Amino acid sequence: MATSVVGSTADSLSKLHIGGGNDWAFTAPNLLKNLSLLSPELVELAKMLLEMGQSHLFEHWPDPGVDDDEKRNLLNQASFRNSSFLFIFSYFMNFD
């Protein structure tokens, strides 16, 4: 089961394009090394963060196997804050 998840994630990641090409691999090489640790949703969030110029968040990520829970927690917190912000923004945009 775990092997199929890794294979599926690897397939999804191979199709990931940021900034119109694969230059994201150059802007966030430490993220690239750790992509197999992340769910597809967290990969999409990481992509969004890179597109918003936040590559510095991944500059000091250690190799896979080191502080993996902390890496996922960082993105989970960003995901929670992003979804909360979008909910509040949507609420006020639809408020009459």
Side-chain angles (χ1 to χ4, degrees):
M1 173 81 176
T3 306
S4 64
V5 171
V6 171
S8 173
T9 301
D11 290 341
S12 298
L13 299 177
S14 69
K15 298 173 188 162
L16 180 65
H17 297 287
I18 298 174
N22 286 330
D23 38 310
W24 65 274
F26 298 108
T27 62
N30 293 339
L31 172 62
L32 179 64
K33 290 189 283 187
N34 285 279
L35 284 178
S36 63
L37 304 172
L38 305 175
S39 69
E41 293 80 16
L42 292 181
V43 171
E44 285 301 314
L45 178 63
K47 174 183 172 182
M48 183 179 73
L49 290 168
L50 290 174
E51 288 173 343
M52 294 174 15
Q54 302 300 308
S55 62
H56 64 279
L57 295 172
F58 309 105
E59 283 178 4
H60 301 289
W61 273 25
D63 288 335
V66 179
D67 297 329
D68 293 342
D69 288 337
E70 286 84 357
K71 296 169 198 170
R72 286 192 282 286
N73 287 340
L74 171 75
L75 290 173
N76 281 322
Q77 287 178 2
S79 176
F80 174 75
R81 291 171 198 251
N82 183 50
S83 63
S84 297
F85 172 76
L86 290 175
F87 173 77
I88 292 168
F89 181 75
S90 174
Y91 174 80
F92 283 109
M93 290 300 293
N94 293 319
F95 184 74
D96 286 328

